[in-house]
Amino acid sequence: MKITASAPGKVILFGEHSVVYGKPAIAVAVNRHVHITIQEGSDTLIHVHSPELEVSGYLELEDETVNCENKLKSGILNYILKSLKKIQDGTGSTFKKGLEITLELEIPIGAGLGSSAAVTVATLAAAFKYFNQEVDRKKLAQLAHEVELEVQGAASPIDTALSTYGGAIYLSPETGEIINLSLDWNIPLVIGHTLRESNTAQLIKTVRNKKERYPSILNPLFESMEQITLEAREALTRKDENRLGELMNINHGLLDALGVNTPVLSKMIYLARESGAKGSKITGAGGGGSIIAYCPGKEEEVLKQLKMEENAFPIQISQNGCQVKKI
Ligand code: MEV
C-alpha cells in the first residue's frame, strides 16, 4: 500500500509581518506543490528521501531526532518528524513497521513560498490516510499550524490554511477568521527568487526588536499596512489593476522600512517594474527568499529580465488544496 498526498505552496500578496501584529493579510495558493509518498518500511526506521534536496536520512520519533548528513538542507525534515509525532500521539497508533517516505518539491525551500506548510499539511494528510482515519480540512489546517508553531516558534495560520484549502484568502485580524476570497479572474504573477534562504523566525525577531525600539514609528507603519490590505481587498474585488499594482509598491516601501529588504531583492523589484510590472514587492518574510511581480500582459518580459538576474517562474492561483489518495 502506498499513500500519496500533495499540497500547494503560497504567496502572500499583502500583509506579511504586519499579520504578526494582528493586521489583516491576503494570500493565494499557487500551482506549485509538494508531494509526499509514504509506504510501509522494510525495517522499523522512518526513512526519508528527497531527490530535489539530495537529502536522505531517518527520523526517530521517540527522541524526536532527524538523522541526516546534509545538515544544510535537512531542516524541512523537522516538519515531517513533528507531523508524524503528532499523528502518533493523537491517534494512539504507531509506525511500528517503519516507513519509506519520499518528498518531492516543486517549490524552492526557504523562499517564502510556504514549502514548510505544504510539507506539513501533506505529511499529516498522508499519515491520517495510512491509519485509515478521516480528517476534515479544518482539523488538518489546525494541526498543521500547531506543527509550524512547534518547529518555528512563531507563525501565522496563513500558509497552512492555503496548503490545506487552496484558493485565495483574507485573514481577518479581529477574529483570526480565514475568509475565502472567490476571485473570478486570473492574477498574472511572476516570482523572482534568490538562492539566499529566508529565515522567517529570525526576521520576525528582527522586526519585533525594531518595533520595541521605535514604537511610535513602527506602529503607524503597521497601521498603514493594514489600510493597504483593506484597499487591496477592494481592488481585487473590483479588478482594479492599477490600484493593485500601486498598493503593492507602497507595501514594498514599508517592508523596506522594516529592514527586511536586501540589495538583491531590491534589484529584482525595480527590474520587474522597469520591465512593465504594475507592482512588485517582497513576498514572505524577506531577508532573501522571493519577490512577486504583478504584470498583466508583461509576464514574458518580466520573466526574462528576472531570469537574467536570478531565478524566476510564473505562477497561477491554485484552487486545489491538499489532495490525498491510496494507491
Ligand atoms: C512569512 O511568510 C510571513 C510572516 O508574516 C510570518 C507569518 O505570517 O507567519 C513574516
Side-chain angles (χ1 to χ4, degrees):
M1 178 189 63
K2 225 185 211 183
I3 312 284
T4 62
S6 68
K10 66 92 202 7
V11 288
I12 296 182
L13 299 185
F14 297 95
E16 46 277 272
H17 287 291
S18 50
V19 73
V20 176
Y21 304 102
K23 306 298 184 204
I26 296 173
V28 298
V30 301
N31 58 340
R32 290 215 166 201
H33 297 81
V34 156
H35 305 271
I36 293 266
T37 306
I38 66 174
Q39 54 190 322
E40 203 171 85
S42 46
D43 52 31
T44 54
L45 295 176
I46 297 176
H47 297 273
V48 188
H49 167 66
S50 170
E52 289 87 15
L53 296 179
E54 296 178 353
V55 158
S56 267
Y58 64 95
L59 313 175
E60 282 174 297
L61 299 195
E62 282 306 300
D63 52 4
E64 299 193 31
T65 50
V66 170
N67 303 283
C68 175
E69 276 180 14
N70 188 347
K71 295 272 178 270
L72 263 181
K73 297 278 174 194
S74 64
I76 196 103
L77 303 190
N78 284 302
Y79 294 88
I80 299 181
L81 174 82
K82 293 276 186 194
S83 300
L84 296 178
K85 177 96 177 102
K86 199 169 243 331
I87 298 283
Q88 200 169 264
D89 295 349
T91 62
S93 310
T94 53
F95 300 99
K96 46 181 177 297
K97 294 193 175 149
L99 289 175
E100 290 294 332
I101 303 180
T102 307
L103 166 66
E104 288 165 281
L105 297 148
E106 297 164 4
I107 319 166
I109 58 167
L113 303 176
S115 58
S116 59
V119 166
T120 304
V121 168
T123 306
L124 289 169
F128 271 114
K129 194 83 170 172
Y130 184 80
F131 290 130
N132 284 318
Q133 300 226 357
E134 290 300 317
V135 58
D136 62 26
R137 287 187 190 263
K138 191 166 178 209
K139 180 151 183 226
L140 188 60
Q142 183 207 324
L143 291 175
H145 183 224
E146 286 170 18
V147 169
E148 282 227 306
L149 286 175
E150 280 170 35
V151 180
Q152 290 168 202
S156 74
I158 298 180
D159 293 17
T160 39
L162 282 165
S163 288
T164 306
Y165 295 100
I169 60 166
Y170 171 85
L171 178 72
S172 159
E174 298 91 14
T175 57
E177 199 189 346
I178 290 168
I179 299 165
N180 181 37
L181 296 176
S182 41
L183 304 176
D184 59 354
W185 57 300
N186 185 31
I187 303 168
L189 292 170
V190 169
I191 299 283
H193 78 95
T194 66
L195 285 179
R196 189 169 158 202
E197 286 182 21
S198 172
N199 183 335
T200 302
Q202 188 54 47
L203 286 149
I204 290 177
K205 222 184 266 174
T206 306
V207 172
R208 190 179 299 279
N209 186 282
K210 198 167 267 177
K211 179 172 150 42
E212 275 160 17
R213 284 185 297 130
Y214 300 102
S216 61
I217 299 174
L218 273 268
N219 289 336
L221 287 192
F222 292 125
E223 303 289 326
S224 295
M225 286 180 171
E226 174 169 28
Q227 287 312 311
I228 291 172
T229 306
L230 295 175
E231 293 219 13
R233 187 178 174 185
E234 278 192 39
L236 278 166
T237 315
R238 289 199 312 263
K239 299 187 195 171
D240 190 337
E241 294 187 341
N242 290 332
R243 206 170 176 85
L244 201 59
E246 213 161 32
L247 289 167
M248 273 188 183
N249 294 343
I250 303 171
N251 197 162
H252 177 72
L254 300 184
L255 286 166
D256 193 358
L258 294 185
V260 298
N261 200 5
T262 70
V264 179
L265 292 173
S266 207
K267 192 159 185 197
M268 283 200 288
I269 278 155
Y270 286 101
L271 208 55
R273 290 183 204 169
E274 279 161 21
S275 318
K278 282 195 187 287
S280 55
K281 62 180 275 293
I282 287 172
T283 183
S290 303
I291 69 140
I292 43 168
Y294 169 55
C295 35
K298 298 281 181 189
E299 293 95 315
E300 286 308 316
E301 288 92 322
V302 172
L303 198 58
K304 193 169 142 207
Q305 290 302 321
L306 292 183
K307 269 188 180 163
M308 270 156 50
E309 203 53 41
E310 292 276 323
N311 303 310
F313 52 88
I315 48 152
Q316 287 187 350
I317 300 180
S318 166
Q319 294 304 333
N320 293 330
C322 177
Q323 313 277 338
V324 58
K325 60 179 185 241
K326 200 181 263 187
I327 306 171

